[in-house]
Amino acid sequence: EVRLVESGGDLVQPGGSLRLSCAASGFIFRSSAMAWVRQAPGKGLEWVSSISSSGDIRYYADSVKGRFTISRDSSKNTLYLQMTSLRAEDTALYYCAKEGPGLVATVLGLWDYWGQGTLVTVSS
Amino acid sequence: EIVLTQSPATLSLSPGDRATLSCRGSPRVSNYLAWYQKRPGQAPRLLIYDTSNRATGVPDRFSGSGSGTYFTLTISSLEPEDFAVYYCQQRSSWPFTFGPGTKVDLK
């Protein structure tokens, strides 16, 4: 069974930093591209960032480019999102998602499994 | 950036009704259009990808169609668990974008 469990969300002040983690199990993590998608309170879904299976190809939404960094550690089956210079508009539930269907090494922008999310609140 | 608009914003129906949800893309979207279901407190669920392909485990009461700029998600007969928010999403060009969602609620 595919399982994605996010952690690391917290209350942080504007300008602060946070690192989110996503522990993956139930599939061959090193063979799958991954992504982060967020949902602000009362709003819709917004794609944030994607990374290829090898980690050498990364994409970012303009709204986070230069502030967020996506990475992965296949020895730990874990996806990360390092967030810096956080703003109030970054407040959201952050979901980790697996590219699919099946095992997809490249970034295609289609996600067949999602975690339950971790909440990031940026406020003073 | 491709902007997706969804209509209606809210669809009030009863169990057993047929639901038709629309998604328009501008500029033109190829067939790389997906639909996700989002229930409160749950993770998004992939329903349909590449316009008309059902994801694994999705009941056949869900179907997708369309091309170019106009796409539809049809739920042939609503079950109680289908009352949720539905998002369309395109992956034809960067950045990947979602529509604002259609809420299907109980009439």
Side-chain angles (χ1 to χ4, degrees), chain A residues 3 5 8 18 20 26-27 40-41 44 48 65-66 68 70 73-74 76 85 91 94 103 107 115 117:
Chain A
R3 196 155 182 250
V5 180
L18 210 55
L20 305 183
F27 65 102
V48 173
K65 200 174 296 182
F68 290 11
I70 191 171
D73 185 340
S74 291
K76 296 181 179 179
S85 302
T91 294
Y94 284 73
L103 285 176
V107 174

Side-chain angles (χ1 to χ4, degrees), chain A residues 39 59 95 108-109 111 114-115, chain B residues 36 38 43-44 87 89 91 94:
Chain A
Q39 184 172 32
Y59 298 101
Y95 294 101
L108 298 180
W111 309 289
W114 300 60
Chain B
Y36 294 85
K38 179 72 173 66
Y87 295 94
Q89 177 249 330
R91 61 185 186 95
W94 298 97

Side-chain angles (χ1 to χ4, degrees), chain B residues 7-28:
Chain B
S7 61
T10 303
L11 200 50
S12 297
L13 296 169
S14 302
D17 285 348
R18 181 183 186 89
T20 302
L21 289 65
S22 299
C23 176
R24 290 184 184 271
S26 179
R28 178 188 177 87

Side-chain angles (χ1 to χ4, degrees), chain A residues 29-34 49-60 69-74 78-80 104-107:
Chain A
F29 179 74
R30 66 178 181 274
S31 297
S32 181
M34 301 291 295
S49 182
S50 293
I51 187 168
S52 63
S53 61
S54 63
D56 57 351
I57 298 174
R58 310 176 192 201
Y59 298 101
Y60 299 93
T69 302
I70 191 171
S71 63
R72 61 191 298 156
D73 185 340
S74 291
T78 301
L79 176 72
Y80 301 101
V104 177
T106 56
V107 174

Side-chain angles (χ1 to χ4, degrees), chain A residues 76-122:
Chain A
K76 296 181 179 179
N77 283 357
T78 301
L79 176 72
Y80 301 101
L81 186 68
Q82 178 69 47
M83 303 186 294
T84 62
S85 302
L86 282 161
R87 306 166 181 166
E89 53 265 35
D90 295 318
T91 294
L93 188 61
Y94 284 73
Y95 294 101
C96 163
K98 169 191 164 296
E99 281 274 356
L103 285 176
V104 177
T106 56
V107 174
L108 298 180
L110 183 64
W111 309 289
D112 61 349
Y113 288 95
W114 300 60
Q116 292 296 317
T118 187
L119 182 62
V120 173
T121 303
V122 184

